Amino acid sequence: MDPRTNPYTPNAGAEPEVVVGREDQLESFDVLLARLERGRTEQSMIVTGLRGVGKTVLLQQFLQKARENKWTVMDMEAEKNDTSAFRRDLGSRFYSALLQLSPKARWSERAKHAASVAKSFSLTASPEGPLRSD
């Protein structure tokens, strides 16, 4: 293939001119969004693969599709063996997503319960016993 016209972009997360060979995953994600929109369940998706095969680009496509369908998206990266930072980050992002969906004054009881669950992700117990906010 002529390197001047090759759509492959060897750069982490760089958006290629064309996303090729991911039609099945993109269609599966469309089905997932459509079923969730109707209150139905659908099998979760896990994106795996070797470095450089386009996982980040595919996840960015998913993010774009979700936002186009009016979903609130939490975008974060998890690191191995870093559970406390992950819990704090997840709780904070979840709380921000709730605020993005609706002002706190208009929260239903279910939203208030969800916020309390999110807040619990940012509390830890010290060896001496008291709880503290991280």
Side-chain angles (χ1 to χ4, degrees):
M1 170 166 273
D2 182 355
R4 289 177 283 272
T5 60
N6 186 347
Y8 175 67
T9 308
N11 188 358
E15 189 72 29
E17 289 180 37
V18 180
V19 177
V20 179
R22 296 296 190 154
E23 295 80 11
D24 290 348
Q25 289 96 341
L26 292 168
E27 175 60 23
S28 292
F29 192 72
D30 286 340
V31 169
L32 176 100
L33 290 177
R35 289 185 56 83
L36 291 173
E37 185 69 33
R38 289 172 179 79
R40 307 291 303 200
T41 59
E42 182 59 28
Q43 203 153 26
S44 299
M45 297 180 70
I46 298 176
V47 178
T48 63
L50 297 173
R51 184 175 183 196
V53 297
K55 297 178 300 293
T56 300
V57 170
L58 183 60
L59 289 172
Q60 289 169 348
Q61 295 273 319
F62 290 170
L63 183 133
Q64 182 180 350
K65 283 176 170 284
R67 286 187 174 149
E68 287 170 0
N69 285 281
K70 308 284 191 260
W71 285 88
T72 298
V73 178
M74 292 183 351
D75 180 18
M76 64 184 284
E77 187 172 325
E79 292 185 25
K80 187 176 181 179
N81 301 324
D82 191 9
T83 59
S84 63
F86 175 76
R87 288 171 49 104
R88 273 193 311 274
D89 197 20
L90 180 62
S92 171
R93 289 174 189 254
F94 184 65
Y95 191 78
S96 294
L98 282 173
L99 289 174
Q100 184 181 358
L101 287 170
S102 175
K104 194 173 182 179
R106 293 187 5 210
W107 283 1
S108 67
E109 286 306 311
R110 289 178 73 184
K112 289 176 185 173
H113 176 70
S116 70
V117 170
K119 193 171 186 178
S120 73
F121 277 89
S122 62
L123 294 175
T124 57
S126 72
E128 295 79 36
L131 292 175
R132 72 178 198 286
S133 180
D134 288 332

